[in-house]
Amino acid sequence: MEYSTFGRHVAMDAWGVDFDQLNDLNHLESHLRKAAQACGATVLSVQAEKFDPQGVTVLVMLSESHLSIHTYPEKGFAALDCYTCGTTVDPQVAIDYMMDILKPARAYSKVLRRGVGPIEIMETESNVNEEQAIKAII
């Protein structure tokens, strides 16, 4: 069997998310599993870590690639990432599922097309200028 190298990669920065939600490892792990299921992906394993004094990282290894979240509860920030190979699984569905759970005040994403030549930006959503983004980080 020959496999396609084509893939889509969604990177989402979410701001203004509730501290407790971003610091709850079990909550995030459970919902990342559900997000993977919602987009039709096959979960192979999950690795999750809670940091001291706060913050969570969850990595869901998929047969089709990966889904992850890294949180900074003290800043109300989460970085989500989903990459899937082939055309049968849509990573945007997983990210949208997580946005419905996290309910960020602001979210910014890029969708990349990979595996067919140079990496290409398929979509860009940006509702904030660079200066505002830097102020939000500080």
Side-chain angles (χ1 to χ4, degrees):
M1 173 180 273
E2 187 171 328
Y3 294 96
S4 170
T5 58
F6 170 77
R8 287 169 291 173
H9 194 152
V10 181
M12 174 74 74
D13 283 359
W15 292 95
V17 181
D18 176 69
F19 180 99
D20 291 333
Q21 192 169 198
L22 292 179
N23 207 37
D24 187 335
L25 182 131
N26 293 328
H27 170 76
L28 294 172
E29 181 179 341
S30 172
H31 281 294
L32 281 170
R33 286 177 181 271
K34 290 175 184 175
Q37 183 178 33
C39 75
T42 303
V43 174
L44 298 176
S45 67
V46 177
Q47 186 156 356
E49 186 71 32
K50 184 163 190 211
F51 299 98
D52 185 25
Q54 70 265 328
V56 171
T57 293
V58 180
L59 173 61
V60 180
M61 186 167 65
L62 307 172
S63 177
E64 300 81 7
S65 195
H66 71 272
L67 171 62
S68 66
I69 189 168
H70 306 279
T71 73
Y72 301 81
E74 72 282 10
K75 296 191 182 284
F77 175 72
L80 292 104
D81 186 68
C82 188
Y83 174 59
T84 61
C85 303
T87 58
T88 59
V89 175
D90 185 352
Q92 188 66 56
V93 172
I95 297 298
D96 290 345
Y97 175 94
M98 290 305 299
M99 290 300 97
D100 287 344
I101 298 303
L102 298 175
K103 299 184 182 356
R106 307 178 304 287
Y108 310 100
S109 71
K110 290 203 186 285
V111 180
L112 306 174
R113 185 175 75 152
R114 301 181 67 186
V116 291
I119 295 173
E120 175 185 333
I121 297 174
M122 295 173 65
E123 294 176 26
T124 301
E125 294 178 13
S126 182
N127 300 325
V128 68
N129 68 38
E130 190 173 326
E131 182 178 316
Q132 288 172 320
I134 290 169
K135 284 179 184 175
I137 293 167
I138 299 173

